[in-house]
């Protein structure tokens, strides 16, 4: 969905604010407009909202541009529910921090993983988290910008299947990602086409 097709008031389902401050809607989603800024004051990094990308159970995702470098990222904005904030910190942020660090060590040959050493690890198999911070009572996570999900690709081809070469490549990448997770004692509990993102 392009920014021009989104109601100008906000992205949070165009619902009225649930509190007098006008920060959240009734679903605890942050009300966000094009050119709003998510600010990590601790690291002095700002991210300008460019486009709405989607929403889910935990929150919303936006295309953002880093103010300092102009690079594009995906910003996941978690609902303002305190339980979701704690869950995100303990599960998603902690897990991605460990896995991203481990994957960098493999790539820089500081850690040997026999099954991965033969493959091309110039690209990460685990989504890279660039930043995370609290903004107006919401956890904001900044990720590398990826393309469509495997499910979106299957919809594009009208569920008629994929080529054998593509299936081999995707399977290998998924096994490599799962191996990285296994070596750090993590298990993916929601592996499905919607959660497998492709790189452009």
């Amino acid at each position: 969905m392009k920014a021009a097709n989104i109601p100008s008031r906000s992205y949070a389902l165009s619902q009225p604010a649930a509190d007098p401050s006008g920060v959240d809607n009734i679903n605890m989603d942050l009300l966000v407009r094009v050119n709003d800024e998510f600010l990590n004051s601790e690291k002095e990094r700002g991210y300008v909202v460019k486009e709405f990308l989607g929403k889910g159970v935990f929150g919303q995702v936006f295309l953002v541009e880093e103010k300092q470098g102009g690079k594009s990222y995906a910003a996941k904005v978690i609902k303002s529910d305190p339980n979701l904030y704690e869950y995100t910190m303990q599960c998603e942020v902690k897990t991605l921090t460990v896995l991203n660090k481990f994957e960098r060590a493999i790539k820089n040959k500081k850690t040997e993983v026999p099954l991965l050493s033969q493959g091309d690890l110039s690209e990460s198999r685990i989504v890279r988290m660039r930043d995370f911070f609290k903004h107006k009572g919401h956890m904001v996570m900044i990720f590398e910008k990826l393309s469509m999900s495997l499910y979106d690709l299957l919809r594009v081809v009208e569920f008629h299947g994929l080529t054998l070469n593509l299936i081999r490549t995707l399977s290998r990448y998924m096994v490599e990602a799962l191996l990285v997770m296994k070596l750090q004692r993590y298990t993916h509990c929601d592996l499905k086409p919607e959660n497998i993102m492709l790189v452009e």
Side-chain angles (χ1 to χ4, degrees), residues 50-68:
K50 294 299 177 186
E51 187 177 331
F52 173 78
L53 295 178
K55 61 181 171 48
V57 176
F58 292 104
Q60 307 169 94
V61 181
F62 299 93
L63 175 67
V64 295
E65 194 174 274
E66 188 175 26
K67 257 184 119 173
Q68 295 81 354

Side-chain angles (χ1 to χ4, degrees), residues 95-96 98-100 102-103 106 113 115-116 119-121 123-128 144 168-189 191 195-197:
T95 301
L96 284 172
V98 169
L99 293 176
N100 287 169
F102 183 63
E103 215 172 25
I106 294 170
V113 180
L115 291 174
L116 294 178
D120 173 23
L121 281 180
E123 292 296 326
S124 176
R125 302 297 182 244
I126 307 289
V127 66
R128 286 176 282 210
E144 65 181 314
R168 279 190 191 116
T169 301
L170 292 173
S171 298
R172 179 175 168 208
Y173 289 172
M174 285 187 278
V175 169
E176 289 173 352
L178 291 170
L179 180 60
V180 167
M181 294 178 70
K182 179 182 184 291
L183 291 170
Q184 290 299 300
R185 299 183 181 273
Y186 285 102
T187 302
H188 200 304
C189 297
L191 195 56
N195 290 339
I196 298 168
M197 301 301 295

